[in-house]
Amino acid sequence: MLRESTTAVVARGDVWRGASATEPFEAGWASEAVIFVRALKPPTGAMPLAHVEMSPDGMRWMPEGTTFQMPAERDGIAMVRIAHFGNWLRVATDLPDGAETTVLVTIHLK
C-alpha cells in the first residue's frame, strides 16, 4: 500500500508578536505529523516555548502536550513529531513584550 502524504504551509513570512498561532490545518486523515518552525529573520527578544494545539472543530483549541523552543536565530529550525491528534492542528506561542519573530511553519502529514 502506498501511503498518502502532504506538506501544508500554515505560516509564511508571518510576524509573530504576543499571542500568536498558525492557521489551523485539517489533518484528520493522517496518522502522523512532523512540524517545522523556521525563523526567516533574526528574532528580537527572548524566544519562548511554543506548543502544538489540536481542535475538534478548528475554532476551539487545546494543548496537544508537545512543546518546543522557538528558534532563536535567523534560519534556526525547530521540529516536533506527533501522532494521535484528532482532526485539526496548529502551532501557538506567546512572545513576551518586545519580542518578535518572522516564521515559516510547515506541517508534513502521512
Side-chain angles (χ1 to χ4, degrees):
M1 179 174 103
L2 183 61
R3 293 181 69 185
E4 184 176 342
S5 67
T6 193
T7 298
V9 178
V10 292
R12 178 183 289 148
D14 294 1
V15 178
W16 283 5
R17 297 178 196 96
S20 299
T22 65
E23 292 294 322
F25 192 76
E26 190 171 10
W29 60 268
S31 61
E32 59 189 68
V34 178
I35 300 172
F36 292 94
V37 177
R38 179 176 155 209
L40 296 177
K41 296 180 180 177
T44 58
M47 289 295 106
L49 291 176
H51 56 276
V52 177
E53 293 183 334
M54 51 193 242
S55 170
D57 55 15
M59 295 180 283
R60 290 172 281 278
W61 295 93
M62 297 181 64
E64 176 271 339
T66 302
T67 61
F68 59 93
Q69 184 64 49
M70 287 289 294
E73 60 188 24
R74 181 179 182 207
D75 289 329
I77 300 176
M79 184 270 306
V80 295
R81 294 181 183 126
I82 60 169
H84 309 289
F85 45 78
N87 200 36
W88 291 89
L89 290 173
R90 75 176 185 178
V91 173
T93 192
D94 193 6
L95 282 80
D97 289 342
E100 174 180 299
T101 188
T102 303
V103 295
L104 171 65
V105 183
T106 57
I107 301 176
H108 306 257
L109 299 154
K110 62 176 148 178

